[in-house]
Amino acid sequence: MDKLVIHGGHKLQGTLRVSASKNAALPLMAAAILPRGVTFIDQIPHLRDIVTFSHVLRITGASVNRQRQGLEIDATRVVFPEAPYELVKKMRASFYMLGALLGRCGKAKVSLPGGCAWGPRPVNLHIEGLKALGADIDLEQGYVVARVPRGGLSGGSYRFEPSSVGATVNLLLAACLGRGGSRIENAAIEPDVIVFCDMLTAMGAKLDGIGTRTIEVEGVDQLHPIKFSNCPDRIELGTFMIAAAIAGIPGDPVLITNAQPDHLGQEFLDAFQRTGCFYKIDKDTITITPPDVLKPISITTAIYPGFPTDLQAQWTILLSCANGTASVTDQVYGDRFNHIPELYRMGLRAEVNGNTVTVHGGHHLTGAQVMSTDLRASVSLVMAGVVADGTTHVGRIYHLDRGYEQLESKFSQCGINIHREQYNEFENPPQG
Ligand code: EPZ
């Protein structure tokens, strides 16, 4: 098993490059099995989630091959409309296969995603929404078994409450190939969903209202394969901005390239500026200039364009470095705080009360042995190690490898003392 070893106190200087988006890549890959033929998606990051989803696609009969910075997906033959538990449990976005296989094959047998490091993470909106569009759905021994009437989904309308990225993607995957018209209300408008809708449109799907809360879909007989390019990862961008704020040298600019700051939403950008951290956007480069002292700015997460829940753990580390007390409230997931007990081991002064963590900043963290529990928790532990006194060992970084491409090499090229090591969890604890 791998861990990251970080010797804290080194300053972050120079340029960080954002990789392509994980959360946009996954729906794009699902869409690639809708047309019969070879689709090329450029800018696909080298991540564990991409490898897992590639296996999920191959099981249906499609082929998936890495070509330069992208993936070539040949969906000429999609003959096995199933997604097995062993893979879906590893990555819940595999649940997109429900909509994709319904759209392509008119039937699907997809494992329910099962648990998550935090939760609950229900899929009721996916199932109720597909039923509303005309799909027949049963639950059989942990699997969703779905089929559409002969000729494709008849169409219908459904209103999400709350708005859901995954459920919006699943309904669009099923509805764009069908014979009826569908109307999705309170649809997700995250940038990942808009990029996905742009790909469907390029394939010949008939969508109206992309980027708004109401999307109208007119089913078509077939879609055609295309070449399409993915967008940069907005959550990695936000992560790097926070890392620059806490580990940069006051007054010394850090450059972040291949950035698309508007994908972060104004809430995050405003909160970031209120910490006293200056940022300047110049096309796809954002320059971050850290202040002498960070101000403690409280945030509350919300669906886009609100403050992203995927950045709340990282913001907690910023608050630990700020001069004063502030809070992080997660309104999207009520209990996404598994990183807090690990941060207590590093001296974090904070209290969790329901879906809010109150952080008392201005006290140095100290290095310790800590363990990742999920993707964004793991990156917050790495960021804590960067600013802590002493050495931090972050274990189980297979969680990190799901969503951050070559993080340790990106950070070490900017002056951070971080390296990867293999270890055995049952051996003696590391020295120093
Ligand atoms: C996507 O998950 C992201 N994953 C998550 O990022 C992200 O945290 C989440 O959106 C919220 O922004 C991918 O894009 C692969 P939702 P998703 O359905 O689609 C409730 C990461 O770290 N809900 O938009 O599963 C749900 O409980 C990952 O990269 C239902 O009630 O999220 C939540 O409160 C973690 N019933 C809210 O909707 C449902 O059927 C938003 O969830 C579905 C969702």
Side-chain angles (χ1 to χ4, degrees):
M1 195 179 291
D2 285 2
K3 65 178 175 180
L4 287 180
V5 180
I6 306 127
H7 299 288
H10 295 260
K11 288 302 183 187
L12 194 153
Q13 294 178 278
T15 301
L16 286 163
R17 180 175 171 79
V18 176
S19 294
S21 169
K22 166 182 83 84
N23 287 351
L26 295 168
L28 300 183
M29 291 169 68
I33 71 157
L34 293 174
R36 283 172 174 71
V38 180
T39 290
F40 178 71
I41 310 170
D42 199 8
Q43 301 308 311
I44 297 286
H46 292 77
L47 299 170
R48 283 183 72 236
D49 274 6
I50 301 300
V51 172
T52 302
F53 204 36
S54 299
H55 289 323
V56 173
L57 295 183
R58 291 188 187 105
I59 281 172
T60 70
S63 73
V64 183
N65 292 298
R66 174 65 70 171
Q67 298 273 343
R68 302 177 301 282
Q69 288 309 315
L71 290 180
E72 180 186 83
I73 299 172
D74 184 349
T76 306
R77 291 181 69 255
V78 173
V79 292
F80 186 63
E82 296 200 13
Y85 172 68
E86 295 72 21
L87 287 174
V88 176
K89 76 176 179 184
K90 287 171 71 175
M91 190 196 63
R92 51 177 296 113
S94 309
F95 202 59
Y96 291 158
M97 294 308 287
L98 181 58
L101 292 169
L102 270 182
R104 170 64 188 263
C105 308
K107 59 185 177 181
K109 182 179 178 184
V110 176
S111 169
L112 281 166
C116 182
W118 75 90
R121 295 189 67 185
V123 290
N124 60 307
L125 296 175
H126 300 242
I127 291 169
E128 296 312 314
L130 288 168
K131 281 180 178 173
L133 302 193
D136 297 324
I137 294 194
D138 292 310
L139 298 185
E140 291 173 17
Q141 294 160 336
Y143 279 78
V144 177
V145 179
R147 65 176 52 254
V148 302
R150 190 172 298 284
L153 271 187
S154 50
S157 67
Y158 188 74
R159 175 177 179 77
F160 286 126
E161 197 48 61
S163 177
S164 159
V165 169
T168 301
V169 167
N170 247 335
L171 265 63
L172 288 169
L173 284 164
C176 56
L177 275 169
R179 59 188 155 83
S182 296
R183 179 185 172 88
I184 300 171
E185 294 184 353
N186 200 22
I189 57 171
E190 272 72 355
D192 318 327
V193 175
I194 295 174
V195 168
F196 165 67
C197 288
D198 291 344
M199 178 173 170
L200 290 178
T201 303
M203 287 178 153
K206 294 203 180 328
L207 307 183
D208 192 32
I210 295 174
T212 73
R213 292 283 179 203
T214 300
I215 302 177
E216 306 270 2
V217 187
E218 185 191 327
V220 294
D221 292 337
Q222 64 177 4
L223 296 173
H224 52 80
I226 55 162
K227 291 187 186 334
F228 191 79
S229 193
N230 184 19
C231 64
D233 194 306
R234 65 197 184 97
I235 303 303
E236 188 182 33
L237 170 59
T239 303
F240 286 172
M241 290 174 67
I242 295 167
I246 64 176
I249 297 171
D252 184 3
V254 172
L255 267 63
I256 304 175
T257 60
N258 194 37
Q260 211 159 342
D262 60 308
H263 281 187
L264 279 169
Q266 202 55 43
E267 284 286 312
F268 173 84
L269 294 172
D270 291 347
F272 187 78
Q273 195 150 41
R274 289 204 302 275
T275 65
C277 214
F278 176 74
Y279 71 84
K280 184 166 78 67
I281 297 171
D282 179 11
K283 299 191 185 71
D284 71 346
T285 298
I286 186 166
T287 305
I288 306 294
T289 306
D292 291 325
V293 178
L294 287 165
K295 298 189 185 82
I297 302 299
S298 295
I299 61 101
T300 297
T301 71
I303 60 173
Y304 191 87
F307 190 107
T309 172
D310 293 348
L311 287 170
Q312 57 102 326
Q314 300 91 316
W315 194 263
T316 300
I317 309 306
L318 183 147
L319 292 188
S320 77
C321 300
N323 188 16
T325 294
S327 63
V328 170
T329 298
D330 197 330
Q331 288 187 129
V332 179
Y333 297 111
D335 64 349
R336 193 178 183 176
F337 297 119
N338 292 327
H339 46 293
I340 299 297
E342 295 301 308
L343 290 167
Y344 285 152
R345 295 172 48 72
M346 299 179 71
L348 177 75
R349 299 190 191 186
E351 305 89 35
V352 178
N353 187 351
N355 65 336
T356 294
V357 55
T358 301
V359 182
H360 308 289
H363 309 280
H364 271 268
L365 298 176
T366 51
Q369 225 186 310
V370 290
M371 194 164 66
S372 305
T373 51
D374 59 82
L375 169 55
R376 306 303 171 182
S378 59
V379 80
S380 74
L381 299 176
V382 171
M383 295 165 77
V386 167
V387 296
D389 296 334
T391 302
T392 299
H393 297 249
V394 181
R396 296 187 181 178
I397 55 155
Y398 55 83
H399 289 291
L400 187 81
D401 294 338
R402 291 190 52 189
Y404 287 91
E405 191 178 49
Q406 300 177 336
L407 185 72
E408 70 268 26
S409 61
K410 290 183 180 181
F411 274 5
S412 54
Q413 283 166 29
C414 286
I416 301 301
N417 188 325
I418 180 173
H419 69 275
R420 183 179 290 247
E421 277 182 23
Q422 298 237 315
Y423 77 112
N424 177 330
E425 284 210 326
F426 305 101
E427 270 172 4
N428 300 331
Q431 307 306 323

